[in-house]
Every structure is written in structure tokens, then in C-alpha cells.
Amino acid sequence: NAGVTQTPKFQVLKTGQSMTLQCAQDMNHNSMYWYRQDPGMGLRLIYYSASEGTTDKGEVPNGYNVSRLNKREFSLRLESAAPSQTSVYFCASSIFGGNQPQHFGDGTRLSIL
Amino acid sequence: GENVEQHPSTLSVQEGDSAVIKCTYSDSASNYFPWYKQELGKRPQLIIDIRSNVGEKKDQRIAVTLNKTAKHFSLHITETQPEDSAVYFCAATPSNDYKLSFGAGTTVTVRA
């Protein structure tokens, strides 16, 4: 039982490059989330998917897109990376909705030069 | 939307002493209040949560209290140990919301 798995763990990009962060959960959860974590700013929600087939913007969606590929997988795409997107990205899932415990992946540390 | 404020931002305690972290929330409809612990370089992990129909909840050395009237909730860690050193995040959400609102975090350092 792996829980929430994120790939890659580390990535360095050049400004303007694109990439997709992958997230998969094996807990049969309905809701999935993408957060970014910057020093002193806590966890900020980028996008979330309440259930398969739906996605919604969070607090800081600009510069990102998401795809809920199926119930297990939720990917985050940076179309044209900017240095301001240097951060640690966490994927999380919950059984259904925000008022249930969220389980986090190990994170992706992304640096954009 | 919900706004959660967390204090203090840093907390240093002597091993064996107690630590208290306080959070306030803005939306009176919020009814779920989890606390997450994040060790350096690790993922956030849920350590305790409380719902609005309960005023206090304990789990060994950790307890959370909720004051709905004042819209604040607190995490209490007793008999602190070095392994309690971490960043702690509070969060809140209304029942009809699919997302959590997190506080900015408290860095707790337990001095030996």
C-alpha cells in the first residue's frame, strides 16, 4: 500500500520549459489536491479535483493546468516555467472533500533557473 | 473563503515542557479542524483532528481544543521530546467545501 506517489522527486528546469508532475493514489480516494510550499507561506492550494471528472482552481492557479486522468491519477502541468514557480509541490488525496483527512505524497522539489 | 491565522510562527521549548500553538478562523460554518506535522524534508502528516461537535480531543501527549464562539482552536503538546521538533500546520474547512485552508505554520524546536 504505497498511499500517494509523486514523480519525479527532483527536477531542474530552464525558464520557458514545460513539464508535468505526476500523482497517483491507491487508497480509492475521490478527492485529490495539488499544493505548493514556499518558505514561510505554508501550503497553498493550486488546483483540486473533488471527484473524477471535475477540477477547480485553488488559491494560486495561474501558470498551471491539471488533468484528472482517472480516479487514481491527478497531474499538474507547467506550460512555460518561470523562476517564481520554484517550490516544493505536494499532491494529496482524501476520501471525499475537505472535511476528511488528507494524505500527502513525498513532494517534488522543482527548481527553475 | 476561509482564512486561518496561526501563532506563533516559531516556538522554542525546553525538553519536557509544554508547547501551545493557536489558530483562528474566519468562517463560522467551518466544522473540521485538522493538525499536520511536517518534519524537515518530509511530507505533512495528520496528527490529530477535531470536529465542531467536540470541544476537546486527546491522543497521548497531544490535545486539541476548540472554541467555536471565539473561532479559535489550539494544539497542546505536553512533555515535549526532541522528536516533536517539526513544523506544525493547522487547517479549517466548512462542511460544504472540498478544500482545506491552512495556517502558515509554526516551527517548533525542542531544546535538549
Side-chain angles (χ1 to χ4, degrees):
Chain A
N1 188 344
V4 179
T5 302
Q6 290 183 237
T7 56
K9 295 188 183 306
F10 303 93
Q11 186 71 46
V12 179
L13 293 177
K14 294 181 179 179
T15 297
Q17 287 185 318
S18 62
M19 82 160 295
T20 300
L21 307 186
Q22 306 286 354
C23 175
Q25 53 88 12
D26 62 3
M27 295 175 285
N28 201 33
H29 284 175
N30 292 284
S31 301
M32 298 185 73
Y33 308 83
W34 276 106
Y35 295 91
R36 61 177 290 173
Q37 185 174 34
D38 303 294
M41 301 192 73
L43 292 156
R44 293 186 293 169
L45 183 65
I46 305 171
Y47 271 93
Y48 67 101
S49 172
S51 59
E52 185 179 0
T54 70
T55 61
D56 284 286
K57 295 179 180 179
E59 181 184 355
V60 289
N62 291 344
Y64 304 95
N65 285 301
V66 291
S67 295
R68 183 73 183 265
L69 304 172
N70 48 55
K71 189 173 184 179
R72 291 186 62 248
E73 298 173 286
F74 187 39
S75 64
L76 178 72
R77 183 162 178 83
L78 287 70
E79 291 291 350
S80 179
S84 61
Q85 295 177 305
T86 293
S87 189
V88 180
Y89 291 85
F90 285 100
C91 177
S93 69
S94 69
I95 292 175
F96 192 69
N99 61 354
Q100 297 294 331
Q102 291 192 11
H103 300 259
F104 285 80
D106 286 334
T108 295
R109 188 173 297 275
L110 182 61
S111 294
I112 299 163
L113 307 177
Chain B
E2 176 62 275
N3 181 47
V4 178
E5 295 189 355
Q6 183 170 348
H7 300 281
S9 57
T10 61
L11 180 60
S12 179
V13 297
Q14 190 70 37
E15 182 177 357
D17 287 350
S18 295
V20 180
I21 304 169
K22 298 181 180 180
C23 290
T24 60
Y25 60 98
S26 61
D27 190 340
S28 57
S30 285
N31 65 350
Y32 178 61
F33 308 91
W35 285 87
Y36 288 82
K37 175 184 180 181
Q38 186 179 28
E39 297 176 359
L40 189 63
K42 303 290 188 180
R43 70 178 78 180
Q45 291 190 294
L46 180 74
I47 55 172
I48 194 166
D49 57 8
I50 192 168
R51 298 188 185 272
S52 58
N53 58 345
V54 175
E56 183 176 1
K57 185 176 180 180
K58 290 183 179 180
D59 183 2
Q60 300 182 343
R61 297 185 297 107
I62 292 173
V64 58
T65 58
L66 172 65
N67 183 326
K68 289 190 296 181
T69 302
K71 290 192 284 187
H72 68 71
F73 56 112
S74 300
L75 179 72
H76 304 254
I77 307 173
T78 59
E79 301 174 11
T80 53
Q81 301 171 4
E83 54 263 37
D84 296 328
S85 294
V87 179
Y88 292 80
F89 293 98
C90 63
T93 188
S95 61
N96 61 350
D97 205 337
Y98 291 101
K99 53 190 185 296
L100 278 173
S101 296
F102 283 89
T106 297
T107 301
V108 174
T109 302
V110 180
R111 307 187 308 272

